Amino acid sequence: IKTLDGRVTFWNAAAQRLYGYRAQEVVGRHIGLLIPPDLKDEEADLLERIGRGERIEHYETRRATSDGR
């Protein structure tokens, strides 16, 4: 779970398995930690759209794991 400014507020066991980060390493940090450099603008756009009350149905993207995959 993250705030509209991109700060992670909750991290569960499934996220830990998927991304390789423990909750203590992620909670309080910006979600940009998981975003590959070529997709940095995507997250800002999504957060802006959500902030305007727009509903985001489904979209496909990529995220980075703790080991860079």
Side-chain angles (χ1 to χ4, degrees):
I1 299 174
K2 64 185 175 207
T3 63
L4 286 178
D5 67 351
R7 297 282 162 203
V8 176
T9 59
F10 180 77
W11 193 256
N12 65 23
Q16 181 174 327
R17 287 190 303 276
L18 185 62
Y19 297 108
Y21 291 100
R22 294 173 298 144
Q24 302 91 315
E25 297 173 288
V26 179
V27 172
R29 294 182 67 184
H30 193 273
I31 196 69
L33 171 75
L34 304 177
I35 302 172
D38 62 322
L39 295 176
K40 290 292 182 189
D41 293 337
E42 176 190 74
E43 184 68 16
D45 178 58
L46 287 170
L47 290 173
E48 182 179 313
R49 290 170 58 194
I50 292 167
R52 291 192 309 256
E54 189 175 330
R55 185 179 176 121
I56 309 297
E57 291 294 332
H58 299 282
Y59 71 96
E60 191 170 317
T61 191
R62 291 179 289 117
R63 295 295 181 245
T65 61
S66 63
D67 65 4
R69 293 180 288 122

Short mmCIF file of all heavy atoms in Angstrom, two decimals:
data_model
loop_
_atom_site.label_atom_id
_atom_site.label_comp_id
_atom_site.label_asym_id
_atom_site.label_seq_id
_atom_site.Cartn_x
_atom_site.Cartn_y
_atom_site.Cartn_z
N ILE A 1 0.86 -1.17 0.00
CA ILE A 1 0.00 0.00 0.00
C ILE A 1 0.90 1.22 0.00
O ILE A 1 1.94 1.24 0.67
CB ILE A 1 -0.92 0.00 1.24
CG1 ILE A 1 -1.82 -1.24 1.21
CG2 ILE A 1 -1.73 1.28 1.29
CD1 ILE A 1 -2.66 -1.40 2.47
N LYS A 2 0.48 2.25 -0.76
CA LYS A 2 1.28 3.46 -0.82
C LYS A 2 0.38 4.68 -0.77
O LYS A 2 -0.81 4.61 -1.07
CB LYS A 2 2.13 3.49 -2.08
CG LYS A 2 1.33 3.55 -3.35
CD LYS A 2 2.21 3.44 -4.56
CE LYS A 2 1.30 3.37 -5.79
NZ LYS A 2 1.88 2.71 -6.88
N THR A 3 0.96 5.80 -0.40
CA THR A 3 0.23 7.07 -0.38
C THR A 3 0.22 7.67 -1.78
O THR A 3 0.93 7.19 -2.68
CB THR A 3 0.91 8.06 0.58
OG1 THR A 3 2.23 8.33 0.08
CG2 THR A 3 0.98 7.51 2.00
N LEU A 4 -0.55 8.74 -1.96
CA LEU A 4 -0.60 9.39 -3.27
C LEU A 4 0.71 10.08 -3.64
O LEU A 4 0.93 10.40 -4.80
CB LEU A 4 -1.74 10.41 -3.32
CG LEU A 4 -3.13 9.80 -3.43
CD1 LEU A 4 -4.19 10.89 -3.43
CD2 LEU A 4 -3.26 8.93 -4.67
N ASP A 5 1.60 10.28 -2.66
CA ASP A 5 2.91 10.81 -3.02
C ASP A 5 3.93 9.70 -3.22
O ASP A 5 5.12 9.95 -3.40
CB ASP A 5 3.39 11.85 -2.01
CG ASP A 5 3.69 11.28 -0.63
OD1 ASP A 5 3.37 10.11 -0.39
OD2 ASP A 5 4.24 12.02 0.19
N GLY A 6 3.48 8.44 -3.20
CA GLY A 6 4.35 7.31 -3.53
C GLY A 6 5.08 6.66 -2.37
O GLY A 6 5.92 5.79 -2.59
N ARG A 7 4.77 7.03 -1.13
CA ARG A 7 5.44 6.41 0.02
C ARG A 7 4.75 5.10 0.40
O ARG A 7 3.54 5.05 0.55
CB ARG A 7 5.42 7.34 1.23
CG ARG A 7 6.16 8.61 1.03
CD ARG A 7 7.64 8.41 1.16
NE ARG A 7 8.31 9.55 0.54
CZ ARG A 7 9.53 9.51 0.09
NH1 ARG A 7 10.25 8.43 0.21
NH2 ARG A 7 10.07 10.55 -0.48
N VAL A 8 5.54 4.05 0.56
CA VAL A 8 5.01 2.74 0.94
C VAL A 8 4.61 2.79 2.41
O VAL A 8 5.41 3.17 3.27
CB VAL A 8 6.04 1.63 0.70
CG1 VAL A 8 5.53 0.27 1.17
CG2 VAL A 8 6.44 1.58 -0.78
N THR A 9 3.37 2.38 2.70
CA THR A 9 2.88 2.38 4.08
C THR A 9 2.63 0.98 4.62
O THR A 9 2.48 0.80 5.82
CB THR A 9 1.58 3.19 4.20
OG1 THR A 9 0.59 2.62 3.34
CG2 THR A 9 1.81 4.65 3.83
N PHE A 10 2.57 -0.01 3.74
CA PHE A 10 2.34 -1.39 4.16
C PHE A 10 2.99 -2.32 3.15
O PHE A 10 2.94 -2.08 1.94
CB PHE A 10 0.84 -1.69 4.25
CG PHE A 10 0.55 -3.10 4.68
CD1 PHE A 10 0.67 -3.48 6.00
CD2 PHE A 10 0.17 -4.04 3.74
CE1 PHE A 10 0.41 -4.78 6.39
CE2 PHE A 10 -0.09 -5.35 4.13
CZ PHE A 10 0.02 -5.72 5.45
N TRP A 11 3.58 -3.39 3.66
CA TRP A 11 4.30 -4.36 2.82
C TRP A 11 4.03 -5.73 3.40
O TRP A 11 4.39 -6.01 4.54
CB TRP A 11 5.79 -4.03 2.89
CG TRP A 11 6.65 -4.70 1.88
CD1 TRP A 11 7.49 -5.76 2.09
CD2 TRP A 11 6.83 -4.34 0.51
NE1 TRP A 11 8.17 -6.08 0.96
CE2 TRP A 11 7.78 -5.21 -0.04
CE3 TRP A 11 6.26 -3.37 -0.30
CZ2 TRP A 11 8.17 -5.13 -1.37
CZ3 TRP A 11 6.66 -3.29 -1.62
CH2 TRP A 11 7.61 -4.16 -2.14
N ASN A 12 3.40 -6.61 2.64
CA ASN A 12 3.06 -7.93 3.18
C ASN A 12 4.04 -9.01 2.73
O ASN A 12 4.97 -8.75 1.97
CB ASN A 12 1.61 -8.30 2.83
CG ASN A 12 1.37 -8.46 1.35
OD1 ASN A 12 2.29 -8.71 0.57
ND2 ASN A 12 0.12 -8.31 0.94
N ALA A 13 3.81 -10.23 3.20
CA ALA A 13 4.72 -11.35 2.90
C ALA A 13 4.76 -11.66 1.41
O ALA A 13 5.82 -12.04 0.88
CB ALA A 13 4.30 -12.58 3.70
N ALA A 14 3.64 -11.51 0.71
CA ALA A 14 3.63 -11.77 -0.73
C ALA A 14 4.53 -10.78 -1.47
O ALA A 14 5.27 -11.16 -2.38
CB ALA A 14 2.21 -11.70 -1.27
N ALA A 15 4.49 -9.51 -1.08
CA ALA A 15 5.35 -8.50 -1.69
C ALA A 15 6.82 -8.83 -1.39
O ALA A 15 7.68 -8.68 -2.26
CB ALA A 15 5.00 -7.12 -1.17
N GLN A 16 7.09 -9.30 -0.19
CA GLN A 16 8.46 -9.67 0.16
C GLN A 16 8.96 -10.80 -0.73
O GLN A 16 10.08 -10.73 -1.25
CB GLN A 16 8.54 -10.09 1.63
CG GLN A 16 9.95 -10.46 2.06
CD GLN A 16 10.06 -10.75 3.54
OE1 GLN A 16 9.35 -10.16 4.33
NE2 GLN A 16 10.94 -11.65 3.89
N ARG A 17 8.12 -11.80 -0.94
CA ARG A 17 8.53 -12.91 -1.81
C ARG A 17 8.71 -12.45 -3.26
O ARG A 17 9.64 -12.86 -3.94
CB ARG A 17 7.50 -14.04 -1.76
CG ARG A 17 7.53 -14.84 -0.47
CD ARG A 17 6.67 -16.09 -0.55
NE ARG A 17 5.27 -15.81 -0.87
CZ ARG A 17 4.34 -15.47 0.01
NH1 ARG A 17 4.65 -15.36 1.29
NH2 ARG A 17 3.10 -15.25 -0.37
N LEU A 18 7.82 -11.61 -3.72
CA LEU A 18 7.85 -11.16 -5.11
C LEU A 18 9.03 -10.24 -5.40
O LEU A 18 9.71 -10.40 -6.41
CB LEU A 18 6.54 -10.45 -5.43
CG LEU A 18 6.32 -10.00 -6.86
CD1 LEU A 18 6.31 -11.19 -7.81
CD2 LEU A 18 5.01 -9.24 -6.96
N TYR A 19 9.28 -9.28 -4.52
CA TYR A 19 10.30 -8.27 -4.79
C TYR A 19 11.62 -8.47 -4.05
O TYR A 19 12.62 -7.85 -4.40
CB TYR A 19 9.75 -6.88 -4.46
CG TYR A 19 8.59 -6.51 -5.33
CD1 TYR A 19 7.30 -6.47 -4.81
CD2 TYR A 19 8.76 -6.21 -6.66
CE1 TYR A 19 6.22 -6.13 -5.61
CE2 TYR A 19 7.69 -5.88 -7.47
CZ TYR A 19 6.42 -5.85 -6.94
OH TYR A 19 5.36 -5.52 -7.74
N GLY A 20 11.62 -9.30 -3.01
CA GLY A 20 12.87 -9.58 -2.31
C GLY A 20 13.24 -8.60 -1.21
O GLY A 20 14.32 -8.71 -0.63
N TYR A 21 12.41 -7.64 -0.93
CA TYR A 21 12.66 -6.68 0.15
C TYR A 21 11.80 -7.03 1.36
O TYR A 21 10.65 -7.42 1.21
CB TYR A 21 12.25 -5.26 -0.27
CG TYR A 21 13.10 -4.63 -1.33
CD1 TYR A 21 12.68 -4.60 -2.65
CD2 TYR A 21 14.31 -4.04 -1.00
CE1 TYR A 21 13.44 -4.00 -3.63
CE2 TYR A 21 15.09 -3.44 -1.97
CZ TYR A 21 14.65 -3.42 -3.30
OH TYR A 21 15.41 -2.82 -4.26
N ARG A 22 12.37 -6.90 2.54
CA ARG A 22 11.59 -7.06 3.78
C ARG A 22 10.84 -5.76 4.05
O ARG A 22 11.24 -4.69 3.59
CB ARG A 22 12.52 -7.38 4.95
CG ARG A 22 13.21 -8.75 4.82
CD ARG A 22 14.23 -8.97 5.90
NE ARG A 22 15.26 -7.91 5.73
CZ ARG A 22 15.90 -7.32 6.70
NH1 ARG A 22 15.70 -7.67 7.95
NH2 ARG A 22 16.79 -6.39 6.48
N ALA A 23 9.78 -5.84 4.83
CA ALA A 23 8.97 -4.65 5.15
C ALA A 23 9.84 -3.54 5.72
O ALA A 23 9.67 -2.37 5.36
CB ALA A 23 7.85 -5.03 6.11
N GLN A 24 10.78 -3.89 6.59
CA GLN A 24 11.64 -2.88 7.23
C GLN A 24 12.49 -2.12 6.21
O GLN A 24 12.93 -1.00 6.47
CB GLN A 24 12.59 -3.52 8.25
CG GLN A 24 11.91 -4.29 9.34
CD GLN A 24 11.71 -5.77 8.99
OE1 GLN A 24 11.31 -6.12 7.89
NE2 GLN A 24 11.98 -6.63 9.95
N GLU A 25 12.72 -2.71 5.05
CA GLU A 25 13.53 -2.07 4.02
C GLU A 25 12.71 -1.15 3.11
O GLU A 25 13.28 -0.32 2.42
CB GLU A 25 14.19 -3.13 3.14
CG GLU A 25 15.16 -4.03 3.88
CD GLU A 25 15.65 -5.15 3.00
OE1 GLU A 25 14.87 -6.08 2.70
OE2 GLU A 25 16.84 -5.08 2.58
N VAL A 26 11.38 -1.32 3.12
CA VAL A 26 10.55 -0.63 2.14
C VAL A 26 9.59 0.38 2.76
O VAL A 26 9.41 1.47 2.23
CB VAL A 26 9.77 -1.65 1.29
CG1 VAL A 26 8.88 -0.96 0.29
CG2 VAL A 26 10.72 -2.59 0.58
N VAL A 27 8.95 0.02 3.87
CA VAL A 27 7.95 0.91 4.47
C VAL A 27 8.59 2.26 4.79
O VAL A 27 9.66 2.32 5.39
CB VAL A 27 7.31 0.26 5.71
CG1 VAL A 27 6.42 1.26 6.44
CG2 VAL A 27 6.51 -0.97 5.32
N GLY A 28 7.95 3.32 4.33
CA GLY A 28 8.45 4.67 4.51
C GLY A 28 9.25 5.19 3.33
O GLY A 28 9.49 6.39 3.22
N ARG A 29 9.65 4.29 2.45
CA ARG A 29 10.43 4.70 1.28
C ARG A 29 9.50 4.94 0.10
O ARG A 29 8.35 4.50 0.09
CB ARG A 29 11.46 3.64 0.92
CG ARG A 29 12.52 3.51 2.02
CD ARG A 29 13.57 2.53 1.69
NE ARG A 29 14.38 2.99 0.55
CZ ARG A 29 15.33 2.25 0.02
NH1 ARG A 29 15.61 1.05 0.48
NH2 ARG A 29 16.02 2.71 -1.01
N HIS A 30 10.02 5.58 -0.93
CA HIS A 30 9.23 5.85 -2.12
C HIS A 30 9.15 4.60 -2.99
O HIS A 30 10.13 3.84 -3.11
CB HIS A 30 9.86 7.00 -2.92
CG HIS A 30 8.94 7.53 -3.96
ND1 HIS A 30 8.88 7.00 -5.23
CD2 HIS A 30 8.03 8.52 -3.91
CE1 HIS A 30 7.97 7.64 -5.92
NE2 HIS A 30 7.43 8.58 -5.14
N ILE A 31 7.99 4.39 -3.60
CA ILE A 31 7.76 3.22 -4.45
C ILE A 31 8.70 3.20 -5.66
O ILE A 31 8.90 2.16 -6.28
CB ILE A 31 6.28 3.17 -4.89
CG1 ILE A 31 5.89 1.79 -5.43
CG2 ILE A 31 5.97 4.26 -5.91
CD1 ILE A 31 5.86 0.72 -4.39
N GLY A 32 9.32 4.32 -5.96
CA GLY A 32 10.28 4.39 -7.06
C GLY A 32 11.40 3.37 -6.93
O GLY A 32 12.04 3.03 -7.92
N LEU A 33 11.60 2.89 -5.74
CA LEU A 33 12.58 1.84 -5.48
C LEU A 33 12.35 0.63 -6.39
O LEU A 33 13.29 -0.05 -6.78
CB LEU A 33 12.46 1.42 -4.01
CG LEU A 33 13.21 0.21 -3.51
CD1 LEU A 33 14.68 0.56 -3.36
CD2 LEU A 33 12.66 -0.22 -2.17
N LEU A 34 11.10 0.37 -6.74
CA LEU A 34 10.74 -0.81 -7.53
C LEU A 34 10.58 -0.53 -9.02
O LEU A 34 10.31 -1.45 -9.79
CB LEU A 34 9.41 -1.38 -7.03
CG LEU A 34 9.33 -1.76 -5.56
CD1 LEU A 34 7.93 -2.24 -5.23
CD2 LEU A 34 10.36 -2.80 -5.22
N ILE A 35 10.76 0.70 -9.43
CA ILE A 35 10.45 1.06 -10.80
C ILE A 35 11.72 1.15 -11.64
O ILE A 35 12.64 1.90 -11.31
CB ILE A 35 9.67 2.38 -10.84
CG1 ILE A 35 8.39 2.21 -10.02
CG2 ILE A 35 9.35 2.80 -12.26
CD1 ILE A 35 7.62 3.47 -9.80
N PRO A 36 11.76 0.40 -12.74
CA PRO A 36 12.92 0.48 -13.63
C PRO A 36 13.06 1.90 -14.19
O PRO A 36 12.06 2.61 -14.38
CB PRO A 36 12.58 -0.50 -14.76
CG PRO A 36 11.53 -1.40 -14.20
CD PRO A 36 10.78 -0.57 -13.21
N PRO A 37 14.28 2.34 -14.45
CA PRO A 37 14.51 3.72 -14.93
C PRO A 37 13.67 4.11 -16.14
O PRO A 37 13.20 5.24 -16.22
CB PRO A 37 16.00 3.74 -15.26
CG PRO A 37 16.59 2.67 -14.39
CD PRO A 37 15.53 1.61 -14.28
N ASP A 38 13.44 3.19 -17.05
CA ASP A 38 12.70 3.53 -18.25
C ASP A 38 11.20 3.70 -18.01
O ASP A 38 10.47 4.11 -18.91
CB ASP A 38 12.95 2.52 -19.37
CG ASP A 38 12.50 1.11 -19.02
OD1 ASP A 38 12.65 0.70 -17.86
OD2 ASP A 38 11.99 0.43 -19.93
N LEU A 39 10.73 3.41 -16.79
CA LEU A 39 9.32 3.53 -16.47
C LEU A 39 9.04 4.56 -15.37
O LEU A 39 7.94 4.62 -14.83
CB LEU A 39 8.74 2.18 -16.05
CG LEU A 39 8.72 1.09 -17.13
CD1 LEU A 39 8.21 -0.21 -16.55
CD2 LEU A 39 7.87 1.53 -18.31
N LYS A 40 10.02 5.37 -15.01
CA LYS A 40 9.86 6.33 -13.91
C LYS A 40 8.66 7.26 -14.12
O LYS A 40 7.94 7.56 -13.19
CB LYS A 40 11.13 7.17 -13.72
CG LYS A 40 12.29 6.39 -13.16
CD LYS A 40 12.05 5.96 -11.74
CE LYS A 40 13.27 5.23 -11.21
NZ LYS A 40 13.06 4.61 -9.93
N ASP A 41 8.44 7.71 -15.34
CA ASP A 41 7.32 8.63 -15.61
C ASP A 41 5.97 7.93 -15.46
O ASP A 41 4.97 8.59 -15.14
CB ASP A 41 7.44 9.21 -17.01
CG ASP A 41 8.63 10.13 -17.15
OD1 ASP A 41 9.12 10.65 -16.12
OD2 ASP A 41 9.09 10.33 -18.29
N GLU A 42 5.92 6.64 -15.67
CA GLU A 42 4.66 5.91 -15.57
C GLU A 42 4.05 6.03 -14.17
O GLU A 42 2.86 6.29 -14.03
CB GLU A 42 4.89 4.43 -15.90
CG GLU A 42 3.66 3.57 -15.73
CD GLU A 42 3.98 2.10 -15.85
OE1 GLU A 42 4.56 1.54 -14.90
OE2 GLU A 42 3.64 1.53 -16.89
N GLU A 43 4.84 5.86 -13.16
CA GLU A 43 4.32 5.90 -11.78
C GLU A 43 3.80 7.28 -11.43
O GLU A 43 2.73 7.41 -10.85
CB GLU A 43 5.40 5.47 -10.79
CG GLU A 43 4.91 5.38 -9.37
CD GLU A 43 3.90 4.27 -9.12
OE1 GLU A 43 3.79 3.35 -9.94
OE2 GLU A 43 3.22 4.32 -8.08
N ALA A 44 4.53 8.31 -11.79
CA ALA A 44 4.07 9.68 -11.51
C ALA A 44 2.74 9.94 -12.21
O ALA A 44 1.83 10.54 -11.63
CB ALA A 44 5.13 10.69 -11.97
N ASP A 45 2.60 9.48 -13.44
CA ASP A 45 1.35 9.65 -14.18
C ASP A 45 0.20 8.91 -13.50
O ASP A 45 -0.89 9.47 -13.33
CB ASP A 45 1.52 9.15 -15.62
CG ASP A 45 0.25 9.25 -16.42
OD1 ASP A 45 -0.28 10.37 -16.54
OD2 ASP A 45 -0.23 8.21 -16.92
N LEU A 46 0.43 7.68 -13.08
CA LEU A 46 -0.61 6.90 -12.40
C LEU A 46 -1.04 7.57 -11.10
O LEU A 46 -2.24 7.69 -10.82
CB LEU A 46 -0.13 5.48 -12.12
CG LEU A 46 -0.04 4.54 -13.31
CD1 LEU A 46 0.68 3.26 -12.91
CD2 LEU A 46 -1.41 4.25 -13.88
N LEU A 47 -0.09 8.01 -10.29
CA LEU A 47 -0.42 8.65 -9.03
C LEU A 47 -1.19 9.95 -9.25
O LEU A 47 -2.13 10.27 -8.51
CB LEU A 47 0.85 8.90 -8.20
CG LEU A 47 1.52 7.66 -7.64
CD1 LEU A 47 2.86 8.02 -7.00
CD2 LEU A 47 0.62 6.94 -6.66
N GLU A 48 -0.81 10.69 -10.28
CA GLU A 48 -1.52 11.93 -10.60
C GLU A 48 -2.96 11.63 -11.00
O GLU A 48 -3.90 12.30 -10.56
CB GLU A 48 -0.80 12.66 -11.72
CG GLU A 48 -1.43 13.99 -12.08
CD GLU A 48 -0.66 14.69 -13.19
OE1 GLU A 48 0.58 14.76 -13.09
OE2 GLU A 48 -1.32 15.14 -14.13
N ARG A 49 -3.15 10.63 -11.83
CA ARG A 49 -4.50 10.26 -12.28
C ARG A 49 -5.36 9.79 -11.11
O ARG A 49 -6.52 10.18 -10.99
CB ARG A 49 -4.40 9.17 -13.34
CG ARG A 49 -3.84 9.69 -14.65
CD ARG A 49 -3.50 8.59 -15.63
NE ARG A 49 -4.66 7.77 -15.95
CZ ARG A 49 -4.57 6.59 -16.56
NH1 ARG A 49 -3.39 6.10 -16.91
NH2 ARG A 49 -5.66 5.90 -16.82
N ILE A 50 -4.80 9.00 -10.23
CA ILE A 50 -5.54 8.54 -9.04
C ILE A 50 -5.88 9.72 -8.15
O ILE A 50 -6.98 9.81 -7.60
CB ILE A 50 -4.73 7.46 -8.29
CG1 ILE A 50 -4.65 6.19 -9.13
CG2 ILE A 50 -5.35 7.17 -6.93
CD1 ILE A 50 -3.63 5.19 -8.64
N GLY A 51 -4.93 10.64 -8.00
CA GLY A 51 -5.15 11.84 -7.19
C GLY A 51 -6.30 12.70 -7.71
O GLY A 51 -6.97 13.38 -6.93
N ARG A 52 -6.54 12.66 -9.00
CA ARG A 52 -7.66 13.39 -9.60
C ARG A 52 -8.97 12.61 -9.49
O ARG A 52 -10.00 13.07 -9.96
CB ARG A 52 -7.39 13.67 -11.08
CG ARG A 52 -6.29 14.66 -11.34
CD ARG A 52 -6.28 15.10 -12.80
NE ARG A 52 -6.27 13.99 -13.75
CZ ARG A 52 -5.22 13.58 -14.44
NH1 ARG A 52 -4.05 14.17 -14.27
NH2 ARG A 52 -5.32 12.59 -15.30
N GLY A 53 -8.91 11.42 -8.90
CA GLY A 53 -10.11 10.62 -8.73
C GLY A 53 -10.38 9.69 -9.89
O GLY A 53 -11.42 9.03 -9.93
N GLU A 54 -9.46 9.60 -10.82
CA GLU A 54 -9.63 8.72 -11.97
C GLU A 54 -9.44 7.26 -11.55
O GLU A 54 -8.56 6.95 -10.75
CB GLU A 54 -8.61 9.09 -13.04
CG GLU A 54 -8.83 8.41 -14.36
CD GLU A 54 -7.85 8.90 -15.42
OE1 GLU A 54 -7.44 10.08 -15.35
OE2 GLU A 54 -7.51 8.10 -16.30
N ARG A 55 -10.25 6.40 -12.08
CA ARG A 55 -10.14 4.98 -11.76
C ARG A 55 -9.20 4.32 -12.77
O ARG A 55 -9.35 4.48 -13.97
CB ARG A 55 -11.52 4.33 -11.83
CG ARG A 55 -11.52 2.91 -11.42
CD ARG A 55 -12.93 2.35 -11.49
NE ARG A 55 -12.88 0.95 -11.19
CZ ARG A 55 -13.53 0.38 -10.20
NH1 ARG A 55 -14.32 1.10 -9.44
NH2 ARG A 55 -13.43 -0.90 -9.98
N ILE A 56 -8.24 3.56 -12.26
CA ILE A 56 -7.30 2.83 -13.10
C ILE A 56 -7.77 1.37 -13.09
O ILE A 56 -7.68 0.70 -12.07
CB ILE A 56 -5.85 2.92 -12.58
CG1 ILE A 56 -5.44 4.37 -12.32
CG2 ILE A 56 -4.89 2.20 -13.52
CD1 ILE A 56 -5.42 5.26 -13.53
N GLU A 57 -8.25 0.90 -14.20
CA GLU A 57 -8.77 -0.47 -14.25
C GLU A 57 -7.62 -1.47 -14.23
O GLU A 57 -7.20 -1.92 -13.20
CB GLU A 57 -9.64 -0.65 -15.50
CG GLU A 57 -10.94 0.11 -15.44
CD GLU A 57 -11.88 -0.39 -14.36
OE1 GLU A 57 -11.83 -1.57 -14.01
OE2 GLU A 57 -12.68 0.43 -13.87
N HIS A 58 -7.10 -1.80 -15.37
CA HIS A 58 -6.01 -2.78 -15.46
C HIS A 58 -4.92 -2.21 -16.35
O HIS A 58 -5.20 -1.53 -17.33
CB HIS A 58 -6.51 -4.09 -16.08
CG HIS A 58 -7.58 -4.74 -15.28
ND1 HIS A 58 -7.30 -5.46 -14.14
CD2 HIS A 58 -8.92 -4.77 -15.44
CE1 HIS A 58 -8.44 -5.90 -13.64
NE2 HIS A 58 -9.44 -5.50 -14.41
N TYR A 59 -3.71 -2.49 -15.99
CA TYR A 59 -2.59 -2.11 -16.85
C TYR A 59 -1.46 -3.09 -16.59
O TYR A 59 -1.36 -3.71 -15.54
CB TYR A 59 -2.15 -0.67 -16.62
CG TYR A 59 -1.44 -0.43 -15.31
CD1 TYR A 59 -0.06 -0.43 -15.23
CD2 TYR A 59 -2.16 -0.22 -14.14
CE1 TYR A 59 0.58 -0.22 -14.02
CE2 TYR A 59 -1.53 -0.01 -12.94
CZ TYR A 59 -0.17 -0.01 -12.87
OH TYR A 59 0.46 0.19 -11.68
N GLU A 60 -0.61 -3.25 -17.57
CA GLU A 60 0.53 -4.16 -17.46
C GLU A 60 1.79 -3.32 -17.38
O GLU A 60 1.94 -2.33 -18.10
CB GLU A 60 0.57 -5.06 -18.69
CG GLU A 60 1.56 -6.19 -18.54
CD GLU A 60 1.42 -7.20 -19.66
OE1 GLU A 60 0.28 -7.55 -20.01
OE2 GLU A 60 2.46 -7.64 -20.17
N THR A 61 2.69 -3.72 -16.50
CA THR A 61 3.93 -2.97 -16.31
C THR A 61 5.04 -3.91 -15.86
O THR A 61 4.83 -5.12 -15.74
CB THR A 61 3.72 -1.83 -15.30
OG1 THR A 61 4.86 -0.97 -15.35
CG2 THR A 61 3.49 -2.35 -13.89
N ARG A 62 6.18 -3.37 -15.60
CA ARG A 62 7.30 -4.12 -15.04
C ARG A 62 7.76 -3.43 -13.77
O ARG A 62 7.66 -2.22 -13.64
CB ARG A 62 8.49 -4.14 -16.01
CG ARG A 62 8.27 -4.96 -17.25
CD ARG A 62 9.47 -4.92 -18.20
NE ARG A 62 9.58 -3.60 -18.81
CZ ARG A 62 10.61 -2.76 -18.65
NH1 ARG A 62 11.65 -3.10 -17.93
NH2 ARG A 62 10.63 -1.58 -19.23
N ARG A 63 8.29 -4.21 -12.84
CA ARG A 63 8.88 -3.68 -11.62
C ARG A 63 10.21 -4.40 -11.38
O ARG A 63 10.43 -5.49 -11.90
CB ARG A 63 7.95 -3.87 -10.42
CG ARG A 63 6.66 -3.07 -10.52
CD ARG A 63 6.95 -1.58 -10.49
NE ARG A 63 5.74 -0.77 -10.55
CZ ARG A 63 5.45 0.03 -11.56
NH1 ARG A 63 6.24 0.12 -12.60
NH2 ARG A 63 4.35 0.76 -11.52
N ALA A 64 11.06 -3.80 -10.58
CA ALA A 64 12.40 -4.35 -10.31
C ALA A 64 12.42 -5.02 -8.93
O ALA A 64 11.78 -4.56 -8.00
CB ALA A 64 13.43 -3.24 -10.36
N THR A 65 13.18 -6.09 -8.83
CA THR A 65 13.35 -6.78 -7.56
C THR A 65 14.60 -6.25 -6.85
O THR A 65 15.38 -5.47 -7.41
CB THR A 65 13.51 -8.30 -7.77
OG1 THR A 65 14.69 -8.52 -8.57
CG2 THR A 65 12.30 -8.89 -8.48
N SER A 66 14.81 -6.69 -5.63
CA SER A 66 15.95 -6.22 -4.85
C SER A 66 17.28 -6.56 -5.49
O SER A 66 18.27 -5.87 -5.27
CB SER A 66 15.88 -6.78 -3.43
OG SER A 66 15.98 -8.19 -3.46
N ASP A 67 17.32 -7.63 -6.30
CA ASP A 67 18.58 -8.00 -6.95
C ASP A 67 18.68 -7.46 -8.38
O ASP A 67 19.57 -7.84 -9.13
CB ASP A 67 18.78 -9.51 -6.93
CG ASP A 67 17.75 -10.28 -7.73
OD1 ASP A 67 16.90 -9.66 -8.39
OD2 ASP A 67 17.79 -11.53 -7.70
N GLY A 68 17.75 -6.56 -8.74
CA GLY A 68 17.84 -5.90 -10.02
C GLY A 68 17.11 -6.57 -11.18
O GLY A 68 17.08 -6.05 -12.28
N ARG A 69 16.52 -7.75 -10.92
CA ARG A 69 15.77 -8.40 -12.02
C ARG A 69 14.47 -7.66 -12.27
O ARG A 69 13.94 -6.97 -11.46
CB ARG A 69 15.42 -9.86 -11.66
CG ARG A 69 16.62 -10.74 -11.56
CD ARG A 69 16.28 -12.18 -11.20
NE ARG A 69 15.89 -12.21 -9.79
CZ ARG A 69 14.70 -12.67 -9.35
NH1 ARG A 69 13.83 -13.18 -10.17
NH2 ARG A 69 14.40 -12.65 -8.08
#
